[in-house]
Amino acid sequence: MLHTPPWVRFHDAGRLHFRWEDAVLSTRDLGNETQAQPVLRTAQRIEPRARLALAIALTEWIVWRFDGLHTRTEPSAYLEAAWCATADPRYLRAFELLRADWRGPVEGPLWCALTQLGHAITRGVDFPRHLFDALSYLTRLAVHVQPSAGPLSAWLPLVLDRLALVYPAAQEDPLVADLFAHDSAARLGRWVPREVFDLAIPFDGNTGRAFLESVLATAQWEDNPFLRTPGELRAGRFQGKPYELVRLSGR
């Protein structure tokens, strides 16, 4: 199971000073959409897998911000499943968390974050608009719930610069495109590790495979309700061995 990464830092995390209204999912209280424009501009310039990883990283700022303030196991389990899904989105099981069960200024934002991230991963590969919408929402939600804006505001622009440098989007070759969406993992770009978001670590883009191999090897699909079982994957015509990283063409 994942733990709080070193790049996610808070000051006075127990202070819930932000406004929250469950009835409207607090969307009117989130920042203006222009707040997310730097994230969206970068997302358009980077590989699809890097976009997914960025959505997860923003969600981590929300999930870990509420660590210790609830007893839910779903948020951390979902983060594990989401990182597995950056290797292959088919690993993520379709799910729906009941909105009525997630109320208040702690569980309400968690529900919103997990739901938006789910849309990003399950729909965003084939329909990028869903991923961009999720990135916009997750950015504004992450900023909204922070106890202080400093750490996130200092981290985000530097991470965006790093992603643009390390994972620039390549022009798709129509001769090798997955026209019928049979193998989404093969067209997402290079592997992206969690460490790319740790600005204290020099990064050159060559360590993604080791991270994902570790995540997949330790994933407890038997106990994680958000991960599909190997049997379910094979029933869906999954090629290869489930939860084992394949070699991408040219990588």
Side-chain angles (χ1 to χ4, degrees):
M1 192 67 68
L2 298 176
H3 300 285
T4 309
W7 40 266
V8 172
R9 298 179 292 107
F10 309 105
H11 302 314
D12 194 13
R15 185 166 62 97
L16 302 177
H17 69 288
F18 56 88
R19 184 178 178 183
W20 187 261
E21 295 181 29
D22 285 311
V24 293
L25 307 184
S26 203
T27 52
R28 73 183 184 189
D29 295 324
L30 300 184
N32 189 285
E33 290 188 3
T34 58
Q35 190 178 49
Q37 286 306 307
V39 170
L40 297 179
R41 284 195 296 268
T42 298
Q44 292 172 348
R45 297 162 49 203
I46 61 179
E47 294 177 330
R49 201 184 308 271
R51 296 174 191 165
L52 293 178
L54 177 57
I56 300 171
L58 289 167
T59 303
E60 295 223 40
W61 278 94
I62 302 165
V63 168
W64 300 115
R65 183 261 179 275
F66 296 110
D67 191 35
L69 302 180
H70 63 90
T71 59
R72 296 276 189 178
T73 59
E74 293 94 335
S76 58
Y78 190 76
L79 287 177
E80 178 188 60
W83 279 114
C84 288
T86 66
D88 194 312
R90 291 172 293 182
Y91 288 142
L92 188 67
R93 184 194 301 274
F95 75 97
E96 181 179 358
L97 299 175
L98 294 179
R99 182 70 185 91
D101 294 339
W102 296 71
R103 296 287 185 177
V106 172
E107 295 188 358
L110 287 171
W111 182 90
C112 291
L114 299 186
T115 300
Q116 288 291 326
L117 182 57
H119 292 166
I121 295 174
T122 59
R123 304 175 187 175
V125 174
D126 296 315
F127 305 98
R129 176 61 185 271
H130 290 288
L131 178 50
F132 291 133
D133 286 346
L135 283 169
S136 175
Y137 186 91
L138 290 168
T139 300
R140 291 178 287 135
L141 179 60
V143 171
H144 183 70
V145 302
Q146 295 306 302
S148 60
L152 176 57
S153 297
W155 170 85
L156 186 55
L158 298 178
V159 157
L160 295 179
D161 288 344
R162 173 179 276 192
L163 291 175
L165 178 64
V166 179
Y167 297 104
Q171 185 174 1
E172 186 177 75
D173 184 346
L175 296 179
V176 298
D178 182 27
L179 297 180
F180 302 102
H182 290 157
D183 188 3
S184 58
R187 53 192 166 88
L188 293 180
R190 288 166 291 171
W191 307 123
V192 181
R194 200 183 189 206
E195 291 89 343
V196 72
F197 298 101
D198 187 350
L199 296 171
I201 300 176
F203 191 80
D204 62 7
N206 295 319
T207 61
R209 185 178 181 90
F211 165 78
L212 287 176
E213 284 178 335
S214 175
V215 169
L216 293 174
T218 58
Q220 300 295 316
W221 51 262
E222 305 95 327
D223 302 317
N224 190 326
F226 302 112
L227 286 172
R228 285 195 171 105
T229 67
E232 290 171 328
L233 290 166
R234 294 190 189 96
R237 300 182 179 179
F238 185 92
Q239 299 296 316
K241 184 177 180 181
Y243 297 101
E244 184 174 287
L245 207 61
V246 300
R247 179 173 179 81
L248 296 180
S249 176
R251 295 178 176 86

